Amino acid sequence: MCSTCGCGASGHDNFEHDEHDHDVRILHTMETAFDKNNHIAFHLREEFKERGILVLNLVSSPGSGKTTLLEKTALAMSTEYKMAVIEGDQETANDAERIKNTGISAYQINTLSGCHLEAGMVQRALPSFDLDALDILFIENVGNLVCPSEYDLGEDYRVLVLSVTEGEDKPIKYPGIFISSDIFLLNKIDLVDILEFDIEKCRKYLKRINSRATTFEVSARKGTGMDEWYDWLRSAVAQKKQK
Ligand SMILES: Nc1nc2c(ncn2[C@@H]2O[C@H](COP(=O)(O)OP(=O)(O)OP(=O)(O)O)[C@@H](O)[C@H]2O)c(=O)[nH]1
Ligand SMILES: [Zn+2]
Ligand SMILES: [Zn+2]
């Protein structure tokens, strides 16, 4: 089961210890599952570092625009950089198909009842890419503002995509994932007026929860603000190659 929310995520059953009574056993399962995840994430990070691949873990609620953002980024930047995407969803290969239509490689992971990606899933996806040629690996996590925050995937940056359709108060209602993120992409700003979205209030909440993160205000659909995001990506790739 998922050690975060108790759902039916796969891969955790191996850690059960029958000798414990139920409650202790669940505690033990949680500890061991996180240790195993962190161990794999450590090795992934080493491998990405060695190869100079910039890795971004995109987290958000369902439908915030992660795939749209990746499609636009692929179309705008694939002549400059070799990019690939690992797509996480519970069911369907829709997002991987959308990414492949832009001409870059994508690998779909279906988590079924699972609510987040784990480092082991990323590790198993890697052989399907030409890592020697890769500059940027995007990981689109399962749409969920709670569980993905607990799982290190070996990424350099966690990018939280928040859309204005979700309301201004998400940073203070789900602080965990906002605290653990490095970049906020406030998406769908083309809808701010229609929704009477209080952007000042949202900026204030984002700063209060995590003043360290950089925020980009974009419309992935219309292209507004996307140049700033591309410039940030360029500098992050350059920095990663230097290490
Ligand atoms: N108005 C507007 N709509 C957008 C924008 N970005 C994405 N959308 C729309 O929002 C919907 C969801 O977008 P997706 O890119 O599929 O969102 P997602 O985060 O990948 O969704 P999941 O993978 O299901 O979590 C689609 O109808 C997009 O066209 C935007 O900037 N403005
Ligand atoms: Zn969970
Ligand atoms: Zn998607």
Side-chain angles (χ1 to χ4, degrees), residues 4 29 38 48 82 91 100 145 195 199 240:
T4 307
T29 301
N38 289 341
F48 296 141
K82 190 93 167 70
E91 303 266 359
K100 283 180 194 161
L145 281 182
L195 295 170
I199 198 160
K240 188 71 194 255

Side-chain angles (χ1 to χ4, degrees), residues 2 4-7 115-116 144 147:
C2 169
T4 307
C5 70
C7 73
C115 46
H116 58 268
N144 173 354
C147 306

Side-chain angles (χ1 to χ4, degrees), residues 62-68 95 98 140 187-188 190 219-221:
S64 65
K66 299 179 295 302
T67 311
T68 307
D95 285 0
R98 285 171 59 188
E140 180 180 333
N187 189 32
K188 309 195 189 181
D190 54 295
S219 168
R221 182 180 281 178

